[in-house]
Amino acid sequence: KAVVLRVDSPGGSSFASEEIWRGVDRVQRRGKPVVVSMGGTAASGGYYVSAGADAIYAEPTTVTGSIGVYAGPVIDASELLDRIGVGTELYTRGRNAAMFSISKPMDDHEFAALDRMVGATYDMFKERVADGRGMNADEVEEVARGRVWSGTDALDVGLVDALGGFHDAVVRARSEAGIPEGAHVRLVTYGDRMGPGGEAVERSVQAVASALEL
């Protein structure tokens, strides 16, 4: 009936963030509300995947926001390769096809292409935030530019809806789904790869369900 998405991430791949954002969007299009529960960190890509949720909960000290994109050229190892006697040849098709090769430095044309890629990704990030948080472009820019906020400050600037933990997010999800307080519901964890603490997470979810008499 509803999804609680637990986010604890400093970000990373913009492509992966967009894929997860689209996954959240598909769930919502099927009529299921999504409530985000932020852990210690939900920054950059961690905030990207959260931005479209129906509600976002953060802890007062959650590192959140960091709405920005950075990238740089890969290490130019051409001199090192030459010193150790490694020869390389590049076979490419397209002006910027070798822009991320470690066997040569980036040229000005490739730097310009990289700059355009970063700019386009940043614009998309801000668009996702604007649509999800009901903000205009100028409002998003005011809280973006890579700046990091605590959960308390993020609430003040409109990046989260409330301060609270996983319990609070579950209660909000039940409300968003229109489930009466007295109704019996079951919390189910999803994902085959929950990491070394997977069983602990499962037990924690069960404990939350018991505490809330779900």
Side-chain angles (χ1 to χ4, degrees):
K1 299 295 184 180
V3 173
V4 176
L5 175 62
R6 180 70 171 177
V7 178
D8 195 351
S9 170
S13 165
S14 59
F15 177 79
S17 300
E18 174 67 10
E19 288 292 285
I20 296 171
W21 181 92
R22 288 180 180 274
V24 171
D25 183 61
R26 286 195 296 269
V27 169
Q28 292 171 311
R29 288 178 183 273
R30 296 187 65 177
K32 296 182 181 181
V34 177
V35 177
V36 165
S37 168
M38 292 179 169
T41 305
S44 192
Y47 189 78
Y48 194 122
V49 303
S50 306
D54 295 279
I56 302 176
Y57 279 73
E59 300 285 358
T61 57
T62 298
V63 177
T64 188
S66 190
I67 301 167
V69 181
Y70 73 91
V74 297
I75 296 173
D76 172 20
S78 56
E79 185 176 345
L80 172 63
L81 295 174
D82 184 60
R83 285 186 179 185
I84 62 178
V86 176
T88 63
E89 288 188 42
L90 293 174
Y91 296 89
T92 63
R93 184 171 183 176
R95 176 61 180 82
N96 299 317
M99 62 188 294
F100 293 114
S101 171
I102 66 170
S103 61
K104 70 170 192 62
M106 269 190 174
D107 60 31
D108 290 342
H109 194 278
E110 291 167 334
F111 267 119
L114 179 64
D115 187 59
R116 291 194 300 271
M117 290 170 57
V118 171
T121 304
Y122 181 49
D123 289 342
M124 179 173 285
F125 194 167
K126 291 189 294 181
E127 181 180 332
R128 297 305 189 210
V129 175
D131 291 343
R133 303 304 302 165
M135 303 165 73
N136 61 43
D138 291 336
E139 290 171 333
V140 174
E141 183 66 16
E142 282 296 312
V143 297
R145 289 179 276 181
R147 282 174 291 184
V148 176
W149 310 84
S150 68
T152 300
D153 290 338
L155 177 63
D156 291 339
V157 299
L159 292 180
V160 304
D161 294 289
L163 298 180
F166 182 68
H167 295 69
D168 304 292
V170 171
V171 172
R172 177 64 176 268
R174 180 166 67 178
S175 174
E176 293 285 336
I179 301 173
E181 287 190 19
H184 175 74
V185 298
R186 186 164 58 98
L187 293 181
V188 180
T189 57
Y190 287 90
D192 296 329
R193 296 189 301 167
M194 299 180 68
E199 293 183 3
V201 173
E202 183 73 36
R203 289 196 299 271
S204 296
V205 171
Q206 293 172 354
V208 170
S210 298
L212 297 177
E213 297 182 347
L214 298 180

